DNA sequence: CGCATAATTGAGCGGTCTCAACGTATGTGG
DNA sequence: CCACATACGTTGAGACCGCTCAATTATGCG
């Protein structure tokens, strides 16, 4: 329960005191749980900087990482006034929070969120295709391409997720993810400088594997 | 290619002539493809009545039904100015279309879409959990509960999807879906009047199977 | 009635999971 | 500085769930 402890020790994770009109920015350490699935949904949040993952749990403990968020992405969504997902930082992050009521009062904010929701919904659609129809190797290839912006070709990508977190994102087990990394390495599509530092060697083959991501 | 033919014969599926300010309502037959993945995204659409499914394809033909839509739901989302999914009616449907530019000009519309996007995003999060972490039997149980509003307990649900469409939604094969239906029937959780008419017999057990949906 | 489409059921295969052992990196205290 | 502890990652062997392929049975329609 690393994240719980961190949340208590890392004092940055308090809701702002309320003096702000409707926005407040906070700086949060890595591996901190910002929101808990099921808690009353009072605020909506924007990632300014860093990476955040949203997770859902089944009663028996099975976990799914449902979304990976970066700068600009929005979280803290509610179903029946409760947060639908837990949110945990993957890296140190800067997060902007708004009271939910601000959505009605601030049309500029609403317009920004609308655009962002559309983008996130499209990403979720792609992810459904990945989870529903792709093999383990294809999923991992897709995952790596998704993290590697087209511009930075040949550069080294730092994964800020463990094999378990990647597995929970891709609907696999950590062993299967590890085997997929080894297979991609064996085929010469990627190079692993360390377990969490990847370089894509053959982007064409990766794209083909991932089904033109 | 049933849907292609239907689209051409069913004359209801033409874009409105442009005289409207930004909204137009059209009536569409069942099994008609309204949008094609990859086409230039000019309009955004709302389901007024009926059911619509959004699908994505892999180059080799594997298909995923990424979302099931009902009244109020929005589709026609774009990534890089192209539709991210194809959209096909499951039943006769009434659909409202808006030019994309209307989003900036009509704050009431934008506010409605924002609320709806939030709801749809939450549903997609649940669906990621289903696709990533649930067994075949659990997926089918979840699917049936999702279609059966809490109110109508004991009533008969008409499935307007084939086993193949359900399979493509749940990330399974049609045979596995069929076996899951048979297993639920064998366990006494559901009754199948016909292949496409289901009654949930034991809602408690279904909920437990579906992980408290 | 006969045909086409959809659904069910069975048998066997294979990809992913499970369980387990081993390897690697990082940090801590003696 | 090194021994150790801890967490994470890799690899292997076997089991199992869902897929593939195939045969059979509804269901609906001309």
């Amino acid at each position: 329960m690393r994240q719980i402890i961190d949340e208590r020790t890392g004092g940055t994770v308090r809701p702002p005191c309320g003096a702000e009109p409707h926005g407040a920015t906070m700086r949060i350490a890595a591996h901190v749980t910002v929101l808990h699935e099921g808690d009353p949904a009072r605020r909506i949040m924007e990632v300014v900087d860093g990476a955040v993952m949203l997770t859902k749990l089944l009663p028996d403990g099975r976990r799914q990482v449902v979304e990976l968020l970066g700068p600009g992405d929005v979280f803290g969504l509610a179903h029946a006034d409760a947060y639908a997902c837990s949110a945990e930082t993957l890296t140190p992050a800067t997060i902007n929070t708004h009271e939910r009521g601000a959505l009605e009062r601030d049309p500029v904010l609403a317009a920004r969120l609308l655009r962002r929701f559309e983008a996130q919904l499209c990403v979720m659609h792609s992810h459904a295709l990945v989870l529903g129809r792709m093999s383990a190797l294809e999923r991992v290839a897709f995952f790596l391409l998704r993290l590697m912006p087209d511009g930075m070709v040949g550069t080294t990508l730092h994964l800020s997720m463990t094999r378990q977190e990647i597995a929970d994102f891709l609907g696999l087990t950590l062993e299967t993810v590890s085997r997929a990394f080894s297979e991609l390495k064996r085929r010469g599509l990627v190079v692993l400088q360390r377990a969490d530092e990847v370089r894509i060697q053959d982007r064409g083959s990766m794209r083909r594997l991932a089904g033109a991501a």
Side-chain angles (χ1 to χ4, degrees), chain A:
Chain A
M1 288 294 141
R2 178 184 58 183
Q3 58 274 35
I4 302 289
I5 294 168
D6 279 352
E7 186 179 16
R8 306 226 163 143
T9 56
T12 43
V13 199
R14 306 213 191 299
C17 63
E20 301 85 354
H22 58 255
T25 300
M26 43 190 200
R27 186 78 196 157
I28 304 179
H31 311 297
V32 173
T33 299
V34 183
L35 296 180
H36 291 271
E37 181 180 356
D39 278 2
R42 280 188 265 273
R43 309 184 70 77
I44 201 159
M45 313 204 174
E46 281 181 287
V47 181
V48 176
D49 193 74
V52 173
M53 65 175 175
L54 303 185
T55 64
K56 285 179 83 77
L57 285 178
L58 284 173
D60 64 2
R62 282 176 285 177
R63 182 175 78 155
Q64 178 70 31
V65 173
V66 298
E67 211 173 346
L68 292 182
L69 306 180
D73 287 322
V74 179
F75 65 103
L77 304 199
H79 178 67
D81 292 325
Y83 289 125
C85 307
S86 298
E88 183 178 335
T89 53
L90 289 168
T91 64
T94 307
I95 286 172
N96 224 318
T97 82
H98 311 273
E99 293 177 29
R100 292 195 69 86
L103 284 182
E104 273 89 64
R105 280 176 274 124
D106 184 343
V108 176
L109 173 64
R112 189 167 72 235
L113 294 199
L114 184 65
R115 273 195 303 277
R116 182 54 62 161
F117 279 178
E118 178 175 6
Q120 289 181 228
L121 210 32
C122 285
V123 171
M124 287 307 295
H125 289 158
S126 299
H127 201 53
L129 180 64
V130 172
L131 293 175
R133 289 295 177 227
M134 283 190 183
S135 72
L137 200 64
E138 292 169 334
R139 293 185 203 201
V140 173
F142 186 93
F143 171 73
L144 290 177
L145 282 180
R146 182 188 193 282
L147 289 186
M148 187 72 84
D150 276 333
M152 51 188 292
V153 71
T155 63
T156 294
L157 169 71
H158 181 83
L159 300 176
S160 35
M161 299 171 74
T162 66
R163 294 290 184 266
Q164 181 65 62
E165 287 163 343
I166 296 170
D168 285 345
F169 180 58
L170 296 176
L172 301 169
T173 60
L174 69 93
E175 294 94 333
T176 300
V177 170
S178 181
R179 280 185 252 269
F181 271 106
S182 299
E183 177 65 17
L184 290 176
K185 197 167 57 180
R186 204 186 57 71
R187 295 193 190 179
L189 304 198
V190 305
V191 175
L192 289 177
Q193 271 100 345
R194 291 182 354 190
D196 60 348
E197 286 187 352
V198 193
R199 174 192 298 238
I200 295 184
Q201 205 71 3
D202 182 347
R203 204 176 177 87
S205 300
M206 288 288 278
R207 289 196 110 94
R208 235 167 295 125
L209 250 184

